[in-house]
Amino acid sequence: MKFLVLFLVLFACAHKNPKGKNIDEVFSNYWEERSKLFPLEATQQGDNRYNDLLPNDQTAEFRKGLDDFYNRYLHEVESFDRNKLSDSQKTSYDLFVYEMKMNLEGSKLPLWTMPFQQFWGLPLTMGQLGSGENYQPFKTLQDYQNWMSRMEAFSQWMDSAIQNFRDGIKMGVVLPKILVKKTIPQMEDLAKNDPKKNIFFAPLNKIPADISEADKAILVKRYKEIVTMVVLPSFKRMATFLKKEYLPKARNTHGIDGVKGGKEIYTYLARYWTTTNKTPDEIYAIGLSEVARIRSEMESIKSQTGFKGNLKSFFNYLKTDKKFYPFKTDEEVLNFFRSLHEKIKPKLPTMFTRFPKTPFEIRQTEEFREASASAEYNSGSPDGTRPGIFYMPIIDPKKYNLTSGMESVFLHEAIPGHHFQISLQQENTTLPKFRRFSWYGAYGEGWALYTESLGKELGLYTDPYQYMGALGDEMHRAVRLVVDVAIHTKGMTRDQAIKYMMEQEPISKDGAVAEIERYMAIPGQALSYKVGALKIRELRNQYSKQLGDKFKLTKFHDEVLAEGCLPLSVLESHMNEVMK
């Protein structure tokens, strides 16, 4: 008994640093502090303690405080002897150190001079939350008061963002003109002073019945005042600034190499998004190789359909033949995706033994952002009170092409892609919170792209035209490796990139434009998908060959998802250990 007590004491001490803290306690303290620094993320994760906060992260003071925060916790975690930690703690240690160092390295870059663009950023997030249909709660009087506090703080954020844009002009770090032209209409739309057309008024139509009439009257009056006198003028100021002051100074170049220090910025972003040390040139070469491989497969499918003509003509056929445009209403498009969900349900247990508890829904993208949006997944809350949502933009259902990869996009954005991976990670309470809610693009997007390759095993891709759509989606990710690197390091123009994309895949001109402009807006992010998917497929092939009949696909998938988001090297180490 004495020996057991002594052992437990020594074991506990081994997990403590010189200050006597347990490393799990440090991770917990870090997350507590971080949640207040990033309260929007806390709200999204179901932590409602800070639903009224909207820190102004556009200030130098905030950035300096964030650096101090990361440095303080990095030093504290590094004070532990890694060799004395448990296996799970070693993984957490490695991830934490990696993340802090990447954050600190990134903070030295002048990316803060481009606060948002047409694809993502707080102004668009505020529109989503202000709709009352996203993760900001609107169930109680306090919920409405919390959101009003955030709306009031948003004005200061926008003014600081304008100052950062101005600093970018002075430093020579500005957005491309073409992207600014896309952002201005978004700001103007969100500035409309019409309760019937502006999304910020929408929550007033769903005020809970248990709020008294007296409180309701006060709430409605105050809410309208904040929207009309604070929020809408903020968007109007930003729209005017972008149009009159920023647009004339925006750059004509399309890649990040067109700004001061652009080469170093892109090299960092390539490492950040792929979680590898692959150089842009190495990634570019992988892209060219994958484009050639997938193109060969496309030629084979074209032949199977009996189509006479070259691949370019086949692409044109897929884009123009009326039989590929069966939809007449938005609901018909949404119902098609709902039918895919029902179709794959019986097959999922052959691939997984762990399933998310978080509910799942399919919704149409909100009107104010659908013109620049693509299909996407918004995660649910860990407790299941808010569902995971697959959003699909449907500008005109009659122009919605059946061969556009509808089956593969559902597998990727919904099930078993993002919904399975993100929900299982958030629901895993054995992980420290900084891991439950972490995100690495190469893993997260890599997993989602890998799941597209499971279509035939799940009973989809039985129609050659739908499979062609899936190949188009895979080609899309391969093309990204080529054009993203070429735009940002090799002088490829927007128009050249659009042309290259349309030559390699059956995508519409509008679709190609939206994609290429997305890569211009978020350099390096598009690299993560294919790099991550190739690694997961490589591991599956490796273990299948090594284990033969002993290889279990359910075990492989469960283990890939077991530890949450990981840098690819850490994922490979984990899988090598558990798949022995």
Side-chain angles (χ1 to χ4, degrees), residues 59-78:
T59 66
E61 291 79 10
F62 185 92
R63 294 193 295 275
K64 171 65 166 56
L66 199 57
D67 275 1
D68 292 344
F69 170 67
Y70 290 143
N71 269 312
R72 174 161 51 87
Y73 274 98
L74 174 62
H75 293 152
E76 185 158 9
V77 167
E78 287 187 322

Side-chain angles (χ1 to χ4, degrees), residues 66-232:
L66 199 57
D67 275 1
D68 292 344
F69 170 67
Y70 290 143
N71 269 312
R72 174 161 51 87
Y73 274 98
L74 174 62
H75 293 152
E76 185 158 9
V77 167
E78 287 187 322
S79 71
F80 287 87
D81 185 344
R82 184 186 179 281
N83 294 324
K84 294 180 179 178
L85 301 176
S86 68
D87 289 343
S88 176
Q89 289 174 327
K90 285 177 181 176
T91 300
S92 295
Y93 178 101
D94 293 342
L95 288 179
F96 193 90
V97 171
Y98 171 87
E99 192 167 317
M100 294 305 102
K101 288 184 175 179
M102 287 299 289
N103 288 340
L104 289 166
E105 183 180 348
S107 72
K108 295 181 174 65
L109 303 175
L111 294 171
W112 54 271
T113 62
M114 299 179 286
F116 67 95
Q117 16 67 14
Q118 91 289 359
F119 194 76
W120 66 18
L122 183 61
L124 297 183
T125 300
M126 289 294 289
Q128 287 181 276
L129 300 184
S131 70
E133 300 296 330
N134 214 279
Y135 58 79
Q136 180 82 26
F138 287 92
K139 296 178 180 179
T140 67
L141 179 61
Q142 185 61 53
D143 286 342
Y144 279 81
Q145 291 169 340
N146 288 338
W147 177 238
M148 286 190 287
S149 294
R150 280 184 166 168
M151 288 196 293
E152 287 182 298
F154 179 61
S155 177
Q156 189 176 28
W157 189 97
M158 287 286 258
D159 289 339
S160 297
I162 287 174
Q163 184 56 53
N164 286 344
F165 276 129
R166 285 177 174 145
D167 289 344
I169 293 172
K170 295 175 186 176
M171 296 165 61
V173 184
V174 292
L175 291 167
K177 269 188 168 62
I178 191 70
L179 302 191
V180 181
K181 290 178 180 178
K182 293 293 176 72
T183 308
I184 292 169
Q186 293 175 328
M187 299 300 101
E188 291 175 335
D189 186 64
L190 289 165
K192 288 179 182 175
N193 194 15
D194 184 345
K196 294 182 180 179
K197 295 182 179 179
N198 193 298
I199 202 163
F200 282 99
F201 290 99
L204 293 179
N205 298 322
K206 53 179 290 184
I207 296 176
D210 58 359
I211 294 179
S212 70
E213 288 301 316
D215 286 340
K216 181 177 178 180
I218 296 171
L219 166 63
V220 171
K221 181 176 183 294
R222 182 61 181 145
Y223 195 101
K224 287 182 176 179
E225 286 176 352
I226 294 173
V227 172
T228 56
M229 298 174 65
V230 179
V231 177
L232 305 190

Side-chain angles (χ1 to χ4, degrees), residues 429-452:
T429 56
T430 66
L431 297 176
K433 283 188 177 180
F434 88 90
R435 290 181 58 187
R436 284 178 66 193
F437 302 107
S438 68
W439 178 258
Y440 296 105
Y443 173 96
E445 296 295 357
W447 165 259
L449 178 54
Y450 163 78
T451 62
E452 292 184 30

Side-chain angles (χ1 to χ4, degrees), residues 4 134 159 395 454:
L4 176 60
N134 214 279
D159 289 339
I395 299 173
L454 304 178

Side-chain angles (χ1 to χ4, degrees), residues 225-460:
E225 286 176 352
I226 294 173
V227 172
T228 56
M229 298 174 65
V230 179
V231 177
L232 305 190
S234 296
F235 281 106
K236 187 174 182 180
R237 285 199 306 277
M238 181 60 76
T240 301
F241 164 76
L242 291 175
K243 185 186 295 185
K244 294 185 176 181
E245 188 175 337
Y246 193 74
L247 183 60
K249 300 294 184 180
R251 55 187 163 93
N252 292 312
T253 57
H254 299 144
I256 198 70
D257 57 352
V259 309
K260 186 178 180 181
K263 181 179 179 181
E264 292 76 17
I265 291 173
Y266 190 74
T267 299
Y268 166 80
L269 291 174
R271 287 193 296 112
Y272 175 84
W273 285 112
T274 68
T275 65
T276 72
N277 289 318
K278 293 184 187 299
T279 67
D281 283 343
E282 288 174 326
I283 294 169
Y284 182 77
I286 293 171
L288 291 175
S289 174
E290 282 293 285
V291 166
R293 179 186 66 80
I294 300 165
R295 190 175 181 88
S296 176
E297 180 73 6
M298 286 178 158
E299 291 280 5
S300 175
I301 297 300
K302 175 181 72 71
S303 298
Q304 288 178 30
T305 66
F307 182 84
K308 305 300 181 184
N310 59 24
L311 201 56
K312 185 176 181 180
S313 298
F314 190 52
F315 289 164
N316 187 61
Y317 166 66
L318 296 176
K319 288 185 289 186
T320 58
D321 195 283
K322 291 183 180 179
K323 72 180 178 184
F324 299 127
Y325 293 89
F327 305 109
K328 293 182 176 61
T329 67
D330 296 349
E331 195 64 20
E332 287 177 354
V333 177
L334 296 174
N335 282 337
F336 180 86
F337 287 111
R338 293 176 183 126
S339 73
L340 295 181
H341 188 195
E342 294 304 314
K343 192 172 184 178
I344 67 173
K345 275 183 181 178
K347 300 272 188 178
L348 290 171
T350 67
M351 295 194 170
F352 304 88
T353 65
R354 300 170 186 164
F355 294 86
K357 298 175 184 175
T358 304
F360 169 75
E361 291 184 10
I362 298 170
R363 295 184 190 173
Q364 185 173 351
T365 304
E366 306 95 337
E367 184 178 353
F368 80 91
R369 66 186 185 95
E370 68 181 356
S372 296
S374 54
E376 64 180 348
Y377 175 76
N378 276 16
S379 60
S381 58
D383 62 4
T385 56
R386 187 185 69 248
I389 302 168
F390 168 53
Y391 278 107
M392 174 55 60
I394 312 172
I395 299 173
D396 183 353
K398 294 177 182 178
K399 294 181 180 180
Y400 215 93
N401 192 305
L402 196 61
T403 71
S404 61
M406 295 178 75
E407 293 183 342
S408 50
V409 79
F410 181 82
L411 297 176
H412 180 115
E413 297 293 345
I415 294 173
H418 287 322
H419 182 65
F420 268 38
Q421 184 269 306
I422 295 173
S423 298
L424 287 170
Q425 177 176 327
Q426 289 185 162
E427 293 168 12
N428 187 354
T429 56
T430 66
L431 297 176
K433 283 188 177 180
F434 88 90
R435 290 181 58 187
R436 284 178 66 193
F437 302 107
S438 68
W439 178 258
Y440 296 105
Y443 173 96
E445 296 295 357
W447 165 259
L449 178 54
Y450 163 78
T451 62
E452 292 184 30
S453 71
L454 304 178
K456 289 187 176 182
E457 295 169 276
L458 287 169
L460 304 182

